[in-house]
Amino acid sequence: MIGQPESAGASDGCGGAAALGVADWLSLAAAPTFAIMALLTLLGGAPDMMCSAAQDASPLNGMVPMYLLMTAFHSAPWLKLVFSRQRGAR
């Protein structure tokens, strides 16, 4: 395909499978990373200088709610992993 390296093709045998495995594991890293960033920002973060002008504009202002929303939006790979293991255990 145009724009993809040759090793990304499915017909490459274990090269394509290895790339897919790395991508799967990398997708699992997003949600915990954002959750840790939310926790660190909550515990020791400085006040948001850019968001201080519109303090009461929305309950979702600030970095902590943003990181928590990003955690929720990136939790799909974790949900797929949990539900696939539950189906396999039955």
Side-chain angles (χ1 to χ4, degrees):
M1 292 182 114
I2 297 174
Q4 286 186 338
E6 291 180 2
S7 63
S11 64
D12 289 346
C14 64
L20 183 60
V22 170
D24 287 342
W25 284 107
L26 188 59
S27 69
L28 290 172
T33 300
F34 289 128
I36 291 169
M37 290 169 69
L39 183 63
L40 292 175
T41 304
L42 180 67
L43 295 178
D48 296 327
M49 299 307 288
M50 291 176 39
C51 298
S52 64
Q55 280 184 337
D56 294 323
S58 170
L60 297 177
N61 64 348
M63 295 303 291
V64 173
M66 183 197 69
Y67 287 140
L68 292 175
L69 283 171
M70 290 172 73
T71 300
F73 291 142
H74 287 89
S75 64
W78 282 100
L79 295 173
K80 287 179 186 177
L81 181 67
V82 168
F83 288 125
S84 69
R85 290 192 179 197
Q86 283 181 353
R87 275 188 246 130
R90 289 183 187 175

